[in-house]
Amino acid sequence: MEWTPGGPSDDIEDRRDQGGGGGGGFGGGGGFGGIHLGIGGVIVVGVLSLVFHQNFFALLNGGGGARVAPVPRTAPGVPNRALDAREKPEVDFVTFVLNDVQGSWTKTLPEQGNRPYRHAKLVLFRDATRSGCGAAESATGPFYCPEDEKVYLDLGFFDELKQKFAAPGEFAQAYVIAHEIGHHVQKILGIEPKMRQLQEQNPRNANALSVRLELQADCFAGVWGFSTEQRKLVNEEDIDAGLRAAAAVGDDRLQQMAGRRVSPESFTHGSSAQRTSWFRKGLQDGQISACNTFKGL
């Protein structure tokens, strides 16, 4: 992926050297047992289940009440300058991608007949912090909080994506950020609050609605990817990396890795095939209108 460091951004909130945010899970839909799992949270739980030969999905669903806690990489509130220095290239890359994704949506939304785009913030943290949706922990993975309109990201997640799920490459990492900003676009368009309301009104359809939200965010990530192709920032190898990342977070694959029976009715993010299909649809079409995952409701 072609990119150059662009310096600091007002949209990046760096909390990596601040203290942790304490306990508590995430409320709302799209999660397990009341804990909201972002795109990376499902990956992390799947990895932990595979490594420790224990079904952490069942634990999060109430089977034993245990929680997956992050392993601190630094003492709370104590700056880790050496780690900060090692992470600088990743911070530069995240900043570039965030600026590019948001710049693209600033142009795309009005051009395609929608309301103006407003910027989200991206919070970098280590181990734990606080969000408008509750406690944010590394084990939760990257996620978007609609309450404060911020994306929360522990850079350690990118190591999991590369090492444990065979989805290396900068565009795979960029896909994660673009997906979470896709949720922000859903809020701007009024889609996210409407779907959350429908989930509350009909809890039996909560998982199915969550899947549609996630697949649309995948498609929106593809819409941004379309713009990067037009500007020759990515090549076919980059696109393949993004598609591998989308497949890596399919509910069916993660359930299989956790030793569970594939159970479509329990999906909250969609199958690997669905995720790659909708991401590819956005990549090929570049239109918001192509991302109507709610057709038929």
Side-chain angles (χ1 to χ4, degrees), residues 44-69:
V44 174
V45 175
V47 168
L48 291 173
S49 298
L50 182 66
V51 171
F52 293 103
H53 305 290
Q54 186 172 1
N55 187 350
F56 282 110
F57 288 98
L59 295 177
L60 286 172
N61 274 317
R67 297 192 61 201
V68 181

Side-chain angles (χ1 to χ4, degrees), residues 113-142:
N114 295 285
R115 63 193 67 182
Y117 181 80
R118 62 177 179 273
H119 282 216
K121 301 289 185 180
L122 189 148
V123 178
L124 293 173
F125 71 97
R126 290 193 188 111
D127 304 321
T129 190
R130 298 294 301 178
S131 81
C133 298
E137 297 181 348
S138 300
T140 310

Side-chain angles (χ1 to χ4, degrees), residues 236-276:
E236 284 301 316
E237 184 177 337
D238 296 320
I239 297 300
D240 288 343
L243 291 169
R244 284 196 300 272
V249 291
D251 286 323
D252 53 343
R253 181 181 181 190
L254 293 168
Q255 287 180 349
Q256 289 171 338
M257 292 185 69
R260 302 176 66 196
R261 177 181 63 85
V262 174
S263 177
E265 66 275 7
S266 69
F267 288 180
T268 58
H269 289 66
S271 68
S272 293
Q274 288 174 316
R275 303 204 71 166
T276 54

Side-chain angles (χ1 to χ4, degrees), residues 84-105:
D84 289 348
R86 288 199 302 272
E87 290 180 343
K88 187 178 185 305
E90 287 185 304
V91 173
D92 288 342
F93 178 71
V94 167
T95 302
F96 170 84
V97 172
L98 180 68
N99 288 342
D100 197 82
V101 172
Q102 301 212 100
S104 178
W105 281 113

